[in-house]
Amino acid sequence: MDYFTYHDAELFAEEVPVRRIAREIGTPVYIYSLGTLRRHFRVFDQAFARIPHLICFSMKANSNLAVLRAFVNEGGGFDIVSRGELFRALRAGADPKKIVFSGVGKKREEIEHALASGILMFNVESEQELVVLNSIASQMDKRAPISLRINPDVDPQTHPYISTGMKKSKFGIDIKRSMDGYRNALALSHLEVVGVDCHIGSQLTSIPPFVDALSRVKIFVQALRNEGVRIRYLDLGGGLGIRYREEEPPHPEQYAEALIEELHGLDVTLILEPGRVIVGNAGILVTEVLYVKETEEKKFVVVDGGMNDLIRPALYGSYQAIRPVTEAGNGKIVADVVGPICESGDFFAKEREIARPKPGDLLAVMSAGAYGFTMASNYNSRTRPAEVLVDGKDFYVVRARERLEDLILGEVIPPILEYAKGSEV
Ligand code: LLP
């Protein structure tokens, strides 16, 4: 459930008219509802209240400092994948003891920083990474807490780009070789084995693949314990899907119910790394209609937001609902909703039936709170949009719209290219 609703044909974010935010802050603009963020976090967290657990929000989905702080205030931790994410998490006030570090390509300096910060656990994705981690920990005179990310070879039945737990994917260590991996880890003096990790994919809309993965991991945890290895944490990753269109994803309570049942007395602290399910429907992208263009074949609604602001439709062909910010009652048209970028892939919707818009109207691209701003770029030298957080009747700019100067930050014209005006070239 989210707090983007219509009152008298006007779309509101909680108690603030979206139109007002667009007028004051400009477009395109991301708008997040704090009430929705909190609600989603609490529903998810409380679903696991019966067992020892830790929710490590996967901040690749949305890493705005204000959003992160909201979760810190709820007692949440973070799943990070880079030094930049560690930097953000700590800036937002995260407890390092609630941070897990995933990712197949951790660099030495990233590992050093995470180790120095005292994070909860490194989710290690290869045997070579174990060796690197051990050598860094030894140099720093520390012991690195680790789990191995196990690839359980389960088909999550989702988009291939966001499916990660099958044998052919680059992620994790093949479950058949994991026991050897753990034996190697145990033999390394500066590692401390504390957990087992697994993440099978994103936008999963049914429970069985999760349970299937958990059942395999569970057998594995038991096998480790039989060898005398103390496993404290079982990290099951993220992946629970949301409704973009007509999907019927399980409610977090059903998801938790199924996992808790499958865990069945296994004495571990369960770690979960939800991203999309917490923030996806807590954010929208508001864009202004610039032109409505009709060709013989088609109609195009050209808006001021583009694939650089929200790349999901272009990259995955994914569906994002598009709603008018003011319902005008002018009937419907079928059109492509496209951005200003010089690529045919720059669209938010294709052949979509939408309320007939006119230039100057505002459209809300729904379900844009996850993998929206975090995947935005400066392509076509476009400044990235502002981000706004709404709380009841109030709203706050939590990231200013980029300025032109931000676009060239760090760029230098070397002296060899400089010439005095009027001199011979
Ligand atoms: N944990 C790990 C190790 C992950 O790789 C991911 C997402 C998550 C947790 C969070 O998954 P979630 O709960 O959000 O499904 N850009 C794509 C999604 C990429 C997901 C990458 N990994 C999209 O826009 O659909």
Side-chain angles (χ1 to χ4, degrees):
M1 212 202 102
D2 63 61
Y3 298 108
F4 295 102
T5 44
Y6 285 94
H7 301 289
D8 296 331
E10 272 292 318
L11 183 63
F12 277 65
E14 302 195 10
E15 292 161 57
V16 184
V18 167
R19 167 172 299 280
R20 200 179 120 210
I21 300 175
R23 196 173 54 225
E24 289 181 28
I25 311 302
T27 54
V29 57
Y30 276 98
I31 301 177
Y32 310 125
S33 149
L34 180 59
T36 312
L37 292 168
R38 281 190 183 135
R39 184 191 159 90
H40 287 177
F41 188 93
R42 286 177 190 166
V43 166
F44 197 93
D45 191 29
Q46 279 162 19
F48 291 94
R50 278 189 283 145
I51 59 164
H53 71 282
L54 175 64
I55 308 297
C56 291
F57 171 67
S58 188
M59 58 185 282
K60 61 175 81 67
N62 190 319
S63 59
N64 183 283
L65 287 182
V67 171
L68 302 184
R69 173 63 66 85
F71 299 144
V72 169
N73 292 347
E74 297 293 319
F78 298 104
D79 160 46
I80 63 164
V81 291
S82 69
R83 184 172 168 197
E85 287 194 346
L86 176 62
F87 169 73
R88 282 180 174 277
L90 296 177
R91 270 295 167 89
D95 176 355
K97 276 278 150 263
K98 292 183 179 173
I99 293 179
V100 294
F101 192 175
S102 312
V104 287
K106 302 181 191 78
K107 292 177 74 160
R108 287 187 79 93
E109 55 144 27
E110 295 185 299
I111 293 172
E112 278 162 20
H113 279 276
L115 205 49
S117 308
I119 65 165
L120 180 65
M121 167 167 105
F122 290 83
N123 290 335
V124 175
E125 303 222 17
S126 67
E127 305 230 2
Q128 287 181 356
E129 188 188 331
L130 278 179
V131 175
V132 171
L133 188 52
N134 185 62
S135 91
I136 295 172
S138 145
Q139 276 163 21
M140 293 173 70
D141 201 19
K142 284 185 180 289
R143 282 189 89 196
I146 65 129
S147 74
L148 287 192
R149 175 164 174 183
I150 295 186
N151 182 337
D153 194 23
V154 168
D155 184 355
Q157 291 149 7
T158 185
H159 191 289
Y161 283 14
I162 52 180
S163 149
T164 51
M166 289 161 81
K167 246 193 201 156
K168 60 187 179 197
S169 99
K170 70 173 177 179
F171 298 97
I173 296 172
D174 186 343
I175 193 157
K176 294 202 192 88
R177 297 182 48 194
S178 299
M179 190 54 88
D180 285 342
Y182 272 94
R183 287 194 187 113
N184 292 342
L186 288 164
L188 294 168
S189 56
H190 287 76
L191 301 184
E192 188 193 356
V193 173
V194 294
V196 175
D197 169 51
C198 145
H199 166 83
I200 56 173
S202 197
Q203 184 54 14
L204 272 72
T205 50
S206 73
I207 291 178
F210 289 115
V211 174
D212 201 6
L214 175 54
S215 71
R216 294 176 196 211
V217 172
K218 189 176 135 185
I219 294 168
F220 187 69
V221 170
Q222 280 155 344
L224 281 172
R225 285 190 170 160
N226 289 343
E227 299 223 350
V229 187
R230 196 170 153 237
I231 297 297
R232 279 184 272 161
Y233 302 107
L234 199 168
D235 183 343
L236 261 189
L240 188 57
I242 62 169
R243 178 188 289 231
Y244 283 99
R245 191 180 192 174
E246 278 150 359
E247 302 92 333
E248 303 253 342
H251 189 275
E253 267 172 24
Q254 295 167 298
Y255 165 77
E257 193 65 38
L259 296 187
I260 292 170
E261 194 185 318
E262 184 62 36
L263 266 177
H264 199 65
L266 195 72
D267 178 25
V268 285
T269 295
L270 185 64
I271 296 178
L272 296 145
E273 303 171 356
R276 188 189 321 261
V277 69
I278 310 284
V279 291
N281 282 324
I284 61 175
L285 175 67
V286 178
T287 182
E288 184 183 321
V289 175
L290 300 176
Y291 306 102
V292 180
K293 206 169 138 171
E294 294 196 21
T295 66
E296 254 174 47
E297 296 270 304
K298 275 169 96 76
K299 293 186 180 62
F300 294 96
V301 175
V302 185
V303 297
D304 68 353
M307 66 191 278
N308 74 298
D309 303 308
L310 176 67
I311 202 175
R312 301 193 69 258
L315 191 56
Y316 314 115
S318 56
Y319 182 98
Q320 309 266 166
I322 297 182
R323 295 201 204 148
V325 167
T326 307
E327 290 179 314
N330 291 335
K332 305 239 176 200
I333 59 166
V334 173
D336 286 9
V337 179
V338 301
I341 288 189
C342 304
E343 295 222 19
S344 302
D346 180 27
F347 62 88
F348 288 151
K350 290 239 171 191
E351 297 287 320
R352 182 79 61 84
E353 190 180 76
I354 54 166
R356 180 186 296 279
K358 56 179 190 323
D361 284 356
L362 298 170
L363 299 180
V365 183
M366 308 305 291
S367 313
Y371 308 107
F373 189 91
T374 51
M375 295 180 84
S377 76
N378 292 116
Y379 188 39
N380 277 204
S381 281
R382 287 164 50 83
T383 50
R384 286 180 298 171
E387 293 175 283
V388 164
L389 184 71
V390 175
D391 178 27
K393 291 187 174 58
D394 303 315
F395 71 88
Y396 307 90
V397 176
V398 292
R399 191 180 211 275
R401 184 177 306 286
E402 280 180 335
R403 300 154 310 157
L404 292 176
E405 286 301 317
D406 297 326
L407 288 176
I408 52 170
L409 199 70
E411 287 183 37
V412 172
I413 298 174
I416 50 152
L417 293 175
E418 270 169 18
Y419 62 93
K421 266 202 186 119
S423 69
E424 292 292 316
V425 180

